[in-house]
Amino acid sequence: MEQLKTIGRELAMGSQGGFGQSKEFLDLVKSIGEARSKAEEDRIVLSEIDILKRKLLEPDIPKRKMKEYIIRLVYIEMLGHDASFGYIHAVKMTHDDNLLLKRTGYLAVTLFLNEDHDLIILIVNTIQKDLRSDNYLVVCAALNAICRLINEETIPAVLPQVVDLLNHQKEAVRKKAIMALHRFHRKSPSSVSHLVSNFRKRLCDNDPGVMGATLCPLFDLISEDVASYKDLVSSFVSILKQVTERRLPKSYDYHQMPAPFIQIKLLKIMALLGSGDKSASEIMYMVLGDLFRKCDSSTNIGNAILYECICCISCIIPSPKLLEAAADAISKFLKSDSHNLKYMGIDGLGRLIKISPDIAEQHQLAVIDCLEDPDDTLKRKTFELLYKMTKSSNVEVIVDRMIDYMISINDNHYKTEIASRCVELAEQFAPSNQWFIQIMNKVFEHAGDLVNIKVAHNLMRLIAEGFGEDDDDADSKLRLSAVESYLQIISEPKLPSLFLQVISWVLGEYGTADGKYSASYISGKLCDVADAYSSDETVKGYAVSALMKIYAFEIASGRKVDVLPECQSLIEELLASHSTDLQQRAYELQALLALDARAVESILPLDASCEDIEVDKDLSFLNGYIQQAIESGAQPYISERERSGMLETTDYHSQDHHEVPSHALRFEAYERPKPSSVPTQASTELVPVPEPSYYSEAHQPISTSSVSERESSEIKLRLDGVKQKWGRPSYQSSTSASSTPPQAANGTSSHPDVGVGSSSLKPRSSYESKKPEIDPEKQRLAASLFGGSSTSRSDRKSSSGGHKPAKGTANKPPKENPIPVQPPPDLLDFGEPTATSVTATDPFTELEGLMDYSSQDGGSTDVMGLYSDAAPVTTTTSVDSLLSELSDSSKGNPGTYQSQTSKGPNSKEALEKDALVRQMGVNPTSQNPTLFKDLLG
C-alpha cells in the first residue's frame, strides 16, 4: 500500500512538471531557451532573481521547495548572473541529514564558492563530520567538495581523515581519497610529502579504478624527481602488459580498447623514467612492441595510443625495431585524409628526427603536401618540422618559404615567431653574408617592429666587421651591396622604424665610403627620411647622426661641404625642437660644420665603429681638480665598499687619501676581537689599529711585523683582548692562535671539461617515388629541402666572434681580478667557534698573565692553584715581590702559561696566598673559593 502511495505521488509530481521540479521552473527553462536575444534572456533572468529573493525570505520553506530554489540559483549562475544572495542557503543545505538534499547542497556549494570564499569556514566542520559517516555516498560527496573547496590553510583540518579513507572498504571512496590527496599535493606539496608511500601502496590496489587514479599523483611526483622512482619501472611495465593482455574487466574498455586512458598515462610515466636510462629503456622494449602490433589504427583512441607510443620512443633510448615501428605508424598518419592524423604524423616526425634524421627523407613528398595544405594549423606544424631539419644545404629554400608564409598571415604573434626563426636560421646556416643581409632586409621590411632590436644591432655589427678576415675588398663589396640595397628600399612608403634606424646608420657610415655616391645625394635621402617620418623622434635622431658622419667625412677629407637647403631647414627646425635629444644633435651638427679638418677627424674618425672605446673608470683626469679641492678643505670621497668596511686594508691604503678627522662619521663595521701578539698597553690613549681583514686572518699566522706594516693612521679604540659580548666565550691564549700553521686559501682544483662528441647518421642519397604521376615541381622542391649531406656544414661565423678583430685592443692592459669581499661579522652568532673564526682573547686570561710571571727556566705559577689542595712548584711569599712582578708583567710581553702538577698539600703557603688575595680586594665566599667566580660576582 505504501509503494502505491509513493508511485502516486511521483506521478502527480511528474504531471506538475517533472520529478521534484515545479511548473514555474520548467517554464523558466523553456522561456530562456526560446529567447531570441541576449537582452530578452537577461530580462527573464533578472525577473527570476527578484522572484527568488522574495521566496527565500519567506519563513518555514519546505525542504523540497528549498532544493528547487537552490537548483534555480545554480541555473542563474550558469547563465552568468550573480546569485550570491542565496549562497548561504546552499551552505545550510549541506548540513541536512537527508542524502538527496545534502548532495544537492554540496553540488551547489562547489559551483558557487571558491577556495578563498568567506563561507568556506562554515562547511569545514560539516565536511569533517561527513567524512566519518557510515554512508559511503555521503563520504563521496564530502570528498568531492574537498577537491574543490579546501585551501592550503584548511588542509590540516581534514588530512588525517582523508588518509584513513585510503583503507575504506568501498573502492569509490578509496579512489576519491587518492584524488583528494593529489589535490592537496598540488596546493601544498609539503603537507603530503610524508604520504608518498601511500601512493606506492595504492598502485597495487585490487580495483583498477584506484590504481588508475594513483597514476595521476605519481606522474606529478616523478616529474619533480625521476631518480627516486626508478625502482617502479618494472611495476609500470607489468601493469601496462596486463592492460594490453585484457586482464581488466570489460567495463574499462573504450571502443574495444582495454583501458586506453590508463595506457596513455602509463606511457607518459615510462617516457619520464626511461629518458637517458639505457637499462630502464630496455625493460620497456617488449611491451612497446606489443602496443604497436595490437593497437587498432581504425579508431581515434587507437591512434591516440600509437601517438603516445611515438612520444615515449622519442624520449627513451629506443631500439632500431621500435624506430621502424614508429616510422610505419607515422607513415600511416601522413597518408590519411584526416587533418588531425596528418598533424599527429608531422608532430611525431619532428620528435623522431632528433634521433634519426633520415626518417624525414622517407616522407618528404608527404611533408611537401602538408606544407601546401589549406589547413593553417597543419601548415604551421609543418614549418616547425622544417625548422628542426634545417641545414646548410636547404636553408635558402626553407627560409624563403617561411618568409612567404610570414607575408601572407596577419597574426602578429605568429608572425613574430616566424621572423625570429628566420633570423636564427639565417645567422646559423647562412651561405654568405650578402644572402644574410638580403634575408634580414626582407624580415625587417615585412615583420617590421616585431623583430627584436638585438637583431638590428647584430646586422649593423656584421656590416661593420665584415667577413672576419683580412679581406678589405670583400668587406667593401659587402658594405657597397648593403648601401645599394638600402637606397632602393628607402624610397618605399611606410617602412618600419627599426629598419629605418638600420638604413640610416649604414648610409651614414658607408654611404660615401667608396665614392660611388656623393655626399649631397646621401644627405638628401636622409633628409627625406627625417621629413617623411617626422613623428618618430628615434628615426630623426638616427638621420641627424648619419648627416653628421657624412659631413664629418667630407670635412676630414678636405672637400668642400655644401649643405643642402632641405638639410639646413631640418637643422633649424631641430634647434627649436621640444626634444632635448634632437636639439642636442642639431647643435652638435651645427658646431661640427664650423670646425677644421683636423678637429673633425679626431672627433669622428672614418670607419671607427669597430674600435673599442677606452673608458677611464677611475676618472683620473679629475685628480688635479680633486687635489685642489682637498687642499681647500673638502672631504675626500669614501666609496661604498670602504664605507661598509668590506674592502681589504691593503687595497684601501694603496690609494692616495688623507686622514679622516676623528669627529667625522664612521661607516665601518665593528671590528671583531682578535688575539693580541703585542704587549698590552698600560695607557688608556687611543692608538691606531689596522682595518679588519677576516678572511686573511683566518688562514694566515698573525705576527707583530705584519700588524705593524698594516697599521693605519686612523684613530680607533683598541679592541684587542676585549671579551665577546655574544657567543660562547673562549679563553684560548694568543700564542695558540699565532702558532697555527698557514693553510691554503683555496683547496679546490679545477678539472678540465670533457667534451662529448656527437655523430650524425648519413641520410639516404635520394628518395625514389613509386607514383609516376608526381608533380615535377614538388620533386624539385623536395630535392631542395631534403637533398644534400646532413653532415656538411658551411656555417657562417657568428656575428659575435670570428670577424675582424677590434682595433686598439692589442696593448689593452689585463683586467684586474676583483678583490674578494668578506661579509661583516655576525654579532648574533651563538655557534661554536670554528677553526676559521678569529679567536677572542678573554680579559681574565690577560689578568691571569698580569698576576703571574714567567721564570727563566720556562716555569709559571698557576693562579687557579692558589686555592687548590696541591702545592705549586713555584710560589710567591711577599706582597712587595708580587707587586713588582705585576708591574714587570704589565711592561713585558705575556707568555704562555702552563700549569704544573704538584704533589702534597701545603696549608701554610695556602693561607699566605689567601691573605695576599684579600689585600687585592677579593673576598673568598667559601673555604676554597674559585677566583674567577668571585671576580665575576
Side-chain angles (χ1 to χ4, degrees):
M1 190 64 182
E2 291 294 332
Q3 293 179 354
L4 292 177
K5 290 181 179 180
T6 303
I7 293 174
R9 284 196 300 268
E10 290 180 353
L11 291 176
M13 290 168 59
S15 63
Q16 294 177 0
F19 292 94
Q21 282 76 37
S22 63
K23 187 175 182 299
E24 291 81 2
F25 177 68
L26 296 180
D27 291 341
L28 171 66
V29 176
K30 183 180 179 180
S31 60
I32 290 177
E34 295 175 351
R36 298 183 178 180
S37 64
K38 185 67 171 62
E40 184 179 356
E41 177 186 308
D42 293 342
R43 181 181 56 79
I44 297 172
V45 174
L46 291 176
S47 175
E48 178 67 16
I49 290 175
D50 294 336
I51 294 173
L52 289 176
K53 284 182 178 180
R54 292 196 301 269
K55 290 183 176 294
L56 290 174
L57 293 176
E58 296 177 358
D60 301 331
I61 302 175
K63 294 182 178 180
R64 183 176 63 84
K65 282 287 186 182
M66 180 59 71
K67 173 176 169 290
E68 180 186 326
Y69 295 157
I70 296 298
I71 295 175
R72 289 159 76 171
L73 288 173
V74 171
Y75 197 69
I76 290 172
E77 282 274 336
M78 291 171 60
L79 293 174
H81 292 266
D82 182 27
S84 58
F85 61 90
Y87 289 176
I88 187 63
H89 298 282
V91 173
K92 291 179 180 178
M93 188 168 285
T94 60
H95 304 162
D96 202 287
D97 294 332
N98 185 282
L99 177 61
L100 185 60
L101 296 178
K102 181 181 288 291
R103 296 182 68 180
T104 303
Y106 273 129
L107 174 64
V109 166
T110 55
L111 294 175
F112 289 159
L113 308 181
N114 56 64
E115 60 183 19
D116 297 325
H117 200 277
D118 295 337
L119 295 178
I120 292 295
I121 194 65
L122 299 179
I123 65 173
V124 173
N125 190 29
T126 304
I127 290 176
Q128 290 177 331
K129 183 185 70 175
D130 292 339
L131 290 176
R132 295 189 294 267
S133 175
D134 297 333
N135 190 339
Y136 79 96
L137 295 177
V138 175
V139 178
C140 290
L143 289 173
N144 288 336
I146 282 176
C147 294
R148 291 294 303 273
L149 300 179
I150 295 300
N151 53 28
E152 187 174 356
E153 296 178 355
T154 52
I155 285 177
V158 297
L159 180 60
Q161 295 171 325
V162 174
V163 175
D164 293 339
L165 292 176
L166 292 175
N167 300 318
H168 199 275
Q169 60 181 355
K170 286 291 184 179
E171 60 275 2
V173 176
R174 298 199 301 271
K175 178 180 177 180
K176 291 184 181 296
I178 289 290
M179 297 169 63
L181 289 178
H182 186 201
R183 178 69 173 179
F184 294 165
H185 175 264
R186 289 188 171 181
K187 284 292 179 184
S188 177
S190 60
S191 62
V192 294
S193 59
H194 60 288
L195 302 174
V196 176
S197 59
N198 292 275
F199 295 132
R200 289 174 173 261
K201 293 178 182 178
R202 291 304 103 195
L203 192 63
C204 304
D205 197 281
N206 295 328
D207 184 73
V210 180
M211 181 271 297
T214 309
L215 295 177
C216 296
L218 282 177
F219 177 77
D220 290 351
L221 292 171
I222 293 172
S223 301
E224 297 171 359
D225 185 11
V226 178
S228 300
Y229 299 90
K230 289 285 187 181
D231 57 324
L232 294 178
V233 173
S234 57
S235 301
F236 290 126
V237 172
S238 176
I239 294 172
L240 184 58
K241 184 177 180 180
Q242 295 179 42
V243 173
T244 56
E245 292 176 353
R246 296 181 179 274
R247 296 187 183 181
L248 270 64
K250 284 285 186 180
S251 58
Y252 289 92
D253 288 0
Y254 179 77
H255 286 273
Q256 300 181 355
M257 288 296 298
F261 301 105
I262 292 180
Q263 292 188 48
I264 290 175
K265 184 61 71 173
L266 284 170
L267 288 170
K268 289 180 179 291
I269 293 175
M270 290 165 56
L272 293 174
L273 293 174
S275 177
D277 192 336
K278 180 67 175 177
S279 59
S281 301
E282 291 175 351
I283 301 175
M284 307 173 188
Y285 287 167
M286 183 176 294
V287 68
L288 289 175
D290 294 340
L291 278 176
F292 277 112
R293 288 191 297 269
K294 295 180 180 180
C295 279
D296 182 13
S297 59
S298 61
T299 59
N300 286 336
I301 192 64
N303 291 325
I305 296 177
L306 284 176
Y307 171 74
E308 202 60 49
C309 287
I310 295 172
C311 296
C312 180
I313 289 174
S314 65
C315 294
I316 66 174
I317 302 176
S319 65
K321 292 183 178 180
L322 287 179
L323 285 176
E324 292 179 3
D328 293 340
I330 289 174
S331 178
K332 293 179 182 179
F333 290 158
L334 293 176
K335 292 178 181 178
S336 174
D337 295 332
S338 172
H339 285 169
N340 293 332
L341 294 182
K342 286 184 178 179
Y343 185 93
M344 292 167 57
I346 293 294
D347 184 77
L349 196 61
R351 293 175 182 270
L352 292 184
I353 201 174
K354 301 176 182 178
I355 304 174
S356 180
D358 59 339
I359 291 181
E361 297 184 7
Q362 304 173 15
H363 312 286
Q364 49 185 311
L365 294 180
V367 172
I368 297 301
D369 291 336
C370 295
L371 194 61
E372 298 176 352
D373 196 280
D375 189 348
D376 197 57
T377 304
L378 181 59
K379 188 179 294 185
R380 293 184 180 184
K381 198 66 180 178
T382 308
F383 275 117
E384 292 182 11
L385 173 62
L386 295 179
Y387 169 74
K388 294 177 181 178
M389 55 180 287
T390 302
K391 49 192 176 183
S392 57
S393 59
N394 59 9
V395 63
E396 299 181 34
V397 180
I398 292 178
V399 172
D400 288 340
R401 283 271 177 169
M402 285 185 174
I403 290 177
D404 293 340
Y405 178 67
M406 181 184 66
I407 296 173
S408 63
I409 61 177
N410 296 321
D411 185 1
N412 286 339
H413 176 74
Y414 194 67
K415 183 178 287 189
T416 304
E417 184 178 353
I418 289 289
S420 62
R421 288 181 176 178
C422 290
V423 171
E424 182 180 350
L425 294 178
E427 289 180 347
Q428 188 174 0
F429 299 106
S432 64
N433 284 5
Q434 288 86 349
W435 180 86
F436 176 76
I437 292 175
Q438 293 175 3
I439 294 301
M440 291 297 101
N441 291 346
K442 291 182 180 179
V443 171
F444 279 120
E445 185 176 358
H446 299 290
D449 295 328
L450 300 176
V451 183
N452 194 328
I453 192 172
K454 293 183 179 179
V455 177
H457 294 164
N458 291 339
L459 177 59
M460 290 187 284
R461 185 168 62 248
L462 170 66
I463 296 174
E465 295 176 352
F467 287 94
E469 301 174 356
D470 295 333
D471 191 353
D472 295 335
D473 294 337
D475 296 345
S476 299
K477 291 180 180 179
L478 171 66
R479 295 160 183 168
L480 180 60
S481 62
V483 170
E484 290 176 348
S485 62
Y486 290 154
L487 288 176
Q488 294 176 0
I489 297 173
I490 200 172
S491 58
E492 296 182 6
K494 296 181 180 179
L495 290 174
S497 175
L498 189 60
F499 193 27
L500 287 170
Q501 297 172 24
V502 176
I503 292 175
S504 300
W505 185 87
V506 172
L507 293 180
E509 286 283 343
Y510 307 107
T512 60
D514 292 339
K516 185 176 181 179
Y517 301 99
S518 62
S520 59
Y521 177 73
I522 300 296
S523 60
K525 290 290 186 180
L526 292 171
C527 290
D528 293 341
V529 170
D531 187 34
Y533 299 90
S534 57
S535 59
D536 193 336
E537 294 184 358
T538 305
V539 173
K540 293 177 71 174
Y542 268 82
V544 173
S545 297
L547 288 173
M548 188 185 306
K549 294 176 185 177
I550 290 175
Y551 289 141
F553 299 156
E554 290 295 308
I555 295 174
S557 61
R559 291 188 291 268
K560 183 180 179 181
V561 176
D562 294 329
V563 181
L564 298 178
E566 53 267 28
C567 294
Q568 188 64 40
S569 61
L570 175 63
I571 295 173
E572 293 176 356
E573 177 188 351
L574 297 181
L575 288 175
S577 174
H578 293 288
S579 173
T580 55
D581 178 66
L582 294 178
Q583 192 178 92
Q584 179 179 350
R585 292 174 188 263
Y587 273 108
E588 290 176 355
L589 176 56
Q590 190 180 45
L592 184 137
L593 294 175
L595 296 177
D596 58 356
R598 184 177 179 182
V600 171
E601 186 177 3
S602 62
I603 294 173
L604 290 175
L606 181 63
D607 193 16
S609 57
C610 294
E611 294 184 358
D612 292 338
I613 300 176
E614 297 182 2
V615 179
D616 186 4
K617 297 182 179 180
D618 297 330
L619 305 179
S620 58
F621 59 90
L622 294 176
N623 288 343
Y625 174 78
I626 294 174
Q627 185 68 24
Q628 182 180 359
I630 292 177
E631 292 176 356
S632 301
Q635 297 293 333
Y637 173 73
I638 302 176
S639 65
E640 182 180 358
R641 295 174 63 186
E642 294 168 0
R643 288 197 300 269
S644 59
M646 296 181 181
L647 192 63
E648 293 288 345
T649 307
T650 56
D651 296 329
Y652 174 69
H653 290 288
S654 63
Q655 303 174 1
D656 294 333
H657 66 284
H658 289 254
E659 180 181 354
V660 181
S662 58
H663 61 271
L665 291 177
R666 302 304 303 276
F667 297 95
E668 292 86 3
Y670 287 121
E671 279 190 323
R672 185 177 293 182
K674 300 184 294 296
S676 175
S677 59
V678 297
T680 307
Q681 297 288 341
S683 62
T684 58
E685 296 178 356
L686 297 178
V687 295
V689 295
E691 292 280 350
S693 180
Y694 305 120
Y695 184 84
S696 60
E697 290 173 2
H699 298 279
Q700 297 179 4
I702 301 174
S703 62
T704 307
S705 59
S706 62
V707 172
S708 61
E709 290 174 0
R710 296 170 53 187
E711 279 187 349
S712 171
S713 59
E714 301 176 11
I715 303 302
K716 298 181 182 178
L717 286 175
R718 184 176 185 85
L719 300 178
D720 296 284
V722 179
K723 183 181 178 182
Q724 281 184 328
K725 198 64 179 174
W726 293 281
R728 185 170 179 175
S730 174
Y731 297 101
Q732 184 177 355
S733 62
S734 60
T735 56
S736 61
S738 62
S739 62
T740 304
Q743 299 178 359
N746 187 4
T748 60
S749 61
S750 59
H751 301 278
D753 297 335
V754 180
V756 180
S758 60
S759 61
S760 57
L761 299 176
K762 294 184 179 180
R764 300 180 183 179
S765 59
S766 62
Y767 175 81
E768 297 179 0
S769 175
K770 297 180 180 180
K771 298 182 180 180
E773 64 275 9
I774 296 176
D775 187 4
E777 181 64 26
K778 289 186 178 180
Q779 290 182 345
R780 288 193 295 270
L781 179 58
S784 301
L785 290 175
F786 300 91
S789 174
S790 63
T791 58
S792 63
R793 291 288 184 269
S794 59
D795 302 342
R796 181 183 57 83
K797 297 181 179 180
S798 62
S799 59
S800 60
H803 296 292
K804 183 184 295 183
K807 302 176 183 178
T809 59
N811 299 325
K812 188 174 181 179
K815 185 176 181 181
E816 296 181 0
N817 295 328
I819 300 172
V821 179
Q822 297 301 319
D826 189 0
L827 297 179
L828 299 180
D829 184 10
F830 295 94
E832 294 287 343
T834 60
T836 59
S837 62
V838 178
T839 305
T841 303
D842 194 279
F844 298 108
T845 306
E846 299 294 335
L847 180 61
E848 182 178 345
L850 293 176
M851 295 181 62
D852 290 341
Y853 71 98
S854 299
S855 60
Q856 296 179 356
D857 57 354
S860 62
T861 302
D862 187 6
V863 178
M864 296 296 296
L866 291 174
Y867 294 96
S868 62
D869 295 334
V873 177
T874 306
T875 58
T876 304
T877 57
S878 65
V879 178
D880 298 334
S881 61
L882 177 61
L883 294 177
S884 62
E885 289 162 2
L886 284 175
S887 61
D888 293 339
S889 62
S890 62
K891 299 178 182 178
N893 188 10
T896 304
Y897 305 100
Q898 301 175 353
S899 61
Q900 303 288 338
T901 305
S902 60
K903 299 180 181 180
N906 192 336
S907 57
K908 181 179 179 180
E909 293 179 354
L911 292 176
E912 293 176 353
K913 294 175 184 177
D914 182 80
L916 292 175
V917 172
R918 290 178 183 274
Q919 292 178 8
M920 295 176 62
V922 180
N923 296 322
T925 57
S926 61
Q927 183 178 359
N928 189 19
T930 302
L931 176 61
F932 288 153
K933 183 176 180 182
D934 291 331
L935 289 176
L936 293 172

